[in-house]
Amino acid sequence: DVCSSDLMLACSRDCTYLVTLERADGKPVRAKRGVLQADVSTKLTISGATLSAGKYRLRARIVASTSPGPVQQYVSTRLSLG
């Protein structure tokens, strides 16, 4: 079986991203990285084998592609499965 999580992501400047699906203990179980164009919303899908029941979070790390500043980090509320 395959499980997937979808989210929308956008940047005000061209950027690179790393999105992880993490267990409650912070260990990543899925990841996706890529590049986004400025001001374009993009639907991302993180998929893989079926997950065990438990609590998870999505974490997005984003940094501008040119003249990068600090990494911006966004974390979802806790997601329950099962």
Side-chain angles (χ1 to χ4, degrees), residues 2 4 16 20 23 25 29 39 41 49-50 52-53 62 64 79 81:
V2 174
S4 67
T16 59
T20 54
R23 294 189 321 210
D25 64 4
V29 293
D39 301 319
S41 294
T50 300
S52 301
I62 301 169
L79 310 168
L81 183 65

Side-chain angles (χ1 to χ4, degrees), residues 18-32 46 51 56-57 59 61:
L18 171 62
V19 175
T20 54
L21 179 64
E22 303 172 352
R23 294 189 321 210
D25 64 4
K27 181 177 179 182
V29 293
R30 305 267 191 285
K32 184 166 190 147
I46 302 174
L51 298 167
Y56 297 87
R57 289 189 184 202
R59 182 181 306 267
R61 296 168 184 89

Side-chain angles (χ1 to χ4, degrees), residues 7 9 17-20 22 58-62 71-76:
L7 68 142
L9 200 59
Y17 67 86
L18 171 62
V19 175
T20 54
E22 303 172 352
L58 284 166
R59 182 181 306 267
R61 296 168 184 89
I62 301 169
V71 173
Q72 299 296 310
Q73 190 166 195
Y74 304 91
V75 181
S76 73

